[in-house]
Amino acid sequence: MDEQSPLDVAIARAEAAEALAAEYGLALDILGRLTGVTSEAAVVDVVLEFAQVMFGADRSRMIMLDRWGRSERAWERGLDGVVAEIEPPAGDARNSGLLEVIAGGLHVPVMAGDRHMARIEIEDLPAPGEAARYTTTIWIIAEVAAMA
């Protein structure tokens, strides 16, 4: 087993710190945009815009859940950048609490503790095979959405 040189260790640490700073920067940027936002629709607009822009996706959707995990309200943001309230899908919108890769997109639960509050759906990813690469960013967006 090859031992890493001190320079290689320092470079690896610097890269890890840079990635962490970028993650915190994203969270702070989203939170900064949400400061002063008072309506549920405005929060959804900010969250979906970030999701869509970050992933280059054609559409994004947020489905709010009632306390039993059933779809209660839903919004969709299209290519035109307009967020519109849509008919929520019927039935149970909860998932396992894990990121799911579904038909070229991502479904991400928005959790508050162990309660499913909502689900963010990002569709038509330009590189769906690279979904694992998106994991950290989408969890940050989901966590900020839960805080909002």
Side-chain angles (χ1 to χ4, degrees), residues 10 14 22 27 30 33 37 49 54 65 70 76 83 97 106-108 111 120 124 130 133 143 146:
I30 295 171
R33 295 211 28 217
V37 172
E49 178 186 7
M54 291 295 300
L65 307 176
R70 294 182 301 240
E76 183 173 85
V83 173
L106 298 171
H107 287 186
V108 183
M111 309 282 291
I120 298 170
D124 308 320
E130 299 293 317
R133 185 168 55 103
E143 286 178 20

Side-chain angles (χ1 to χ4, degrees), residues 37-58:
V37 172
T38 56
S39 75
E40 189 176 47
V43 169
V44 168
D45 185 29
V46 170
V47 170
L48 292 182
E49 178 186 7
F50 264 92
Q52 205 166 339
V53 170
M54 291 295 300
F55 303 115
D58 291 341

Side-chain angles (χ1 to χ4, degrees), residues 20-33:
L20 188 60
E23 292 169 12
Y24 283 128
L26 172 64
L28 287 173
D29 192 16
I30 295 171
L31 284 172
R33 295 211 28 217

Side-chain angles (χ1 to χ4, degrees), residues 91-122:
D92 189 348
R94 284 182 298 178
N95 58 23
S96 65
L98 303 173
L99 177 127
E100 297 176 338
V101 179
I102 298 175
L106 298 171
H107 287 186
V108 183
V110 176
M111 309 282 291
D114 60 353
R115 180 174 170 250
H116 293 259
M117 297 177 57
R119 183 173 72 202
I120 298 170
E121 297 178 351
I122 303 166

